[in-house]
Amino acid sequence: MAEILDGKKIAGDMRALIRGETQALALRGVRPGLAVILVGEDPASVSYVSAKEKALAEAGMFSLDRRLPESAREDELVRLVEECNADPRIDGILVQLPLPKHIDEQRVLLRVDPSKDADGFHPFNLGKLMLGQDAFYPCTPYGILKMLACAGVRARGKHVVIVGRSATVGKPLANLLLNRGEGADATVTVCHSATADLAFHTRQADILIAAAGRAGLITPPMVKPGAVVIDVGVNRIPDVSKKKGFRLQGDTDFEGLLPVAAKISPVPGGVGPMTIAMLLHNTLKAAKARAERENQKETGV
Ligand code: NAD
């Protein structure tokens, strides 16, 4: 039976370390702060934002909750982003996606100061990621890398197959895994909605990462025995027996894969908590850079 990759536990350990570093930074007069911008009231986004704000508070960080109505204009949102860029208390800015259809996401993300880009979605940071340089990396792909490392899975020389090519998950993850260095050096295949014979590709994977947003897409015949399976998908399946009226399901047939895979991450409790831990990590990284700048100003070095 597959070992279950407990994202909640791994993320909890990371969050404890981050809390310690945040306390140390507070002694130097710097409290990490993240502006969380939400446009509209999409129920999934509202719940993600409140989970992120709770995690920030638990880590001893400061969160500035900024909400705009669904009808907000793109220029109003851009103005808010620019206010946050200029606010010295704010180390990181998170614009919760997706944005309403009438707003151009890329145009808005381009206005986030790259040095405050806690989500790692600015083209400057994505470009640096592609070049293998230090940057703010997107939280979900970065969290997957950390999860693999903490579970003792070495990607080096392995064939990783990613299902999904979004700019927020699949593509940055493929680049991170392709880069040289610790936790990377993999051979990567990226599949997507136009891939012919998906199962042919997934069966080649030593490490299979499902990020398609299609409940139960990956079934046992699509997985090589002994593979490591990371399930990124979060799909809301209507279920009247649940208080909220739905249950969450990943992109894999989790139960069916237990006898096939060597390791598998569950949904919920897998990649989701890792994503939040990496958001805290990125906010702390930005706050440390601020502390360094302030120190240089004081000492003149
Ligand atoms: P997206 O819709 O932007 O992209 C989905 C990708 O999957 C596309 O590239 C598409 O080509 C591909 N795809 C769709 N159907 C396919 C099929 N049948 N076969 C092969 N490829 C297919 O989604 P996204 O933002 O990348 O998110 C993917 C999933 O991961 C969603 O369920 C999302 O909710 C989840 N997600 C989870 C976290 C987390 O923290 N746990 C974070 C981000 C996204």
Side-chain angles (χ1 to χ4, degrees), residues 37 56 63 91 189 243 261 274:
I37 301 177
L56 287 159
S63 70
D91 296 297
T189 299
K243 214 164 90 193
M274 296 303 299

Side-chain angles (χ1 to χ4, degrees), residues 140 163-166 168-169 192-193 198 211-214 217 232-235 271-272 275:
T140 301
V163 184
R165 60 173 160 187
S166 71
T168 47
V169 185
H192 47 80
S193 48
L198 179 65
R214 298 282 180 271
L217 175 69
V232 189
V234 178
N235 305 288
V271 172
T275 298

Side-chain angles (χ1 to χ4, degrees), residues 39 52 107 112 115 144 195 204 229 240 242:
V39 184
K52 289 168 186 175
R107 263 203 313 249
V112 173
S115 70
I144 293 168
T195 296
Q204 318 289 320
V229 179
V240 286
K242 300 284 177 198

Side-chain angles (χ1 to χ4, degrees), residues 178-219:
L178 269 180
N179 284 340
R180 286 175 191 270
E182 194 67 30
D185 280 324
T187 302
V188 183
T189 299
V190 183
C191 302
H192 47 80
S193 48
T195 296
D197 199 352
L198 179 65
F200 167 81
H201 295 283
T202 59
R203 273 197 297 269
Q204 318 289 320
D206 301 311
I207 301 172
L208 176 61
I209 303 176
R214 298 282 180 271
L217 175 69
I218 307 296
T219 56

Side-chain angles (χ1 to χ4, degrees), residues 17-33:
L17 292 174
I18 290 171
R19 192 164 47 241
E21 286 199 63
T22 301
Q23 281 162 354
L25 211 53
L27 296 175
R28 294 168 61 190
V30 173
R31 184 172 183 213

Side-chain angles (χ1 to χ4, degrees), residues 13-248:
D13 293 346
M14 283 189 64
R15 282 165 61 169
L17 292 174
I18 290 171
R19 192 164 47 241
E21 286 199 63
T22 301
Q23 281 162 354
L25 211 53
L27 296 175
R28 294 168 61 190
V30 173
R31 184 172 183 213
L34 183 75
V36 180
I37 301 177
L38 175 63
V39 184
E41 283 166 14
D42 169 63
S45 294
V46 170
S47 104
Y48 292 145
V49 159
S50 64
K52 289 168 186 175
E53 289 176 340
K54 188 164 164 261
L56 287 159
E58 280 171 15
M61 297 183 185
F62 151 76
S63 70
L64 185 71
D65 185 292
R66 300 302 306 264
R67 304 206 176 193
L68 291 176
E70 179 81 23
S71 59
R73 293 190 321 267
E74 189 174 306
D75 63 318
E76 288 176 80
L77 176 56
V78 166
R79 211 174 317 125
L80 180 53
V81 166
E82 285 179 345
E83 265 172 43
C84 296
N85 284 341
D87 187 335
R89 298 168 303 164
I90 302 293
D91 296 297
I93 301 168
L94 177 152
V95 181
Q96 183 64 44
L97 303 180
L99 291 171
K101 293 269 177 292
H102 64 276
I103 297 180
D104 184 325
E105 248 167 46
Q106 287 308 317
R107 263 203 313 249
V108 173
L109 295 178
L110 203 56
R111 303 302 277 267
V112 173
D113 179 339
S115 70
K116 294 192 174 191
D117 181 28
D119 250 345
F121 291 156
H122 191 287
F124 178 81
N125 284 308
L126 287 170
K128 289 184 94 172
L129 179 159
M130 213 200 86
L131 292 168
Q133 296 175 1
D134 182 42
F136 290 106
Y137 298 148
C139 302
T140 301
Y142 198 13
I144 293 168
L145 242 63
K146 287 278 176 197
M147 178 184 250
L148 290 172
C150 292
V153 179
R154 297 196 70 210
R156 184 181 167 81
K158 301 271 168 45
H159 186 186
V160 181
V161 177
I162 301 170
V163 184
R165 60 173 160 187
S166 71
T168 47
V169 185
K171 276 191 212 164
L173 179 59
N175 280 287
L176 281 171
L177 286 160
L178 269 180
N179 284 340
R180 286 175 191 270
E182 194 67 30
D185 280 324
T187 302
V188 183
T189 299
V190 183
C191 302
H192 47 80
S193 48
T195 296
D197 199 352
L198 179 65
F200 167 81
H201 295 283
T202 59
R203 273 197 297 269
Q204 318 289 320
D206 301 311
I207 301 172
L208 176 61
I209 303 176
R214 298 282 180 271
L217 175 69
I218 307 296
T219 56
M222 297 169 77
V223 177
K224 177 164 80 175
V228 173
V229 179
I230 305 290
D231 192 344
V232 189
V234 178
N235 305 288
R236 290 181 167 213
I237 310 296
D239 185 340
V240 286
S241 72
K242 300 284 177 198
K243 214 164 90 193
K244 290 184 175 165
F246 65 86
R247 66 188 159 81
L248 296 182

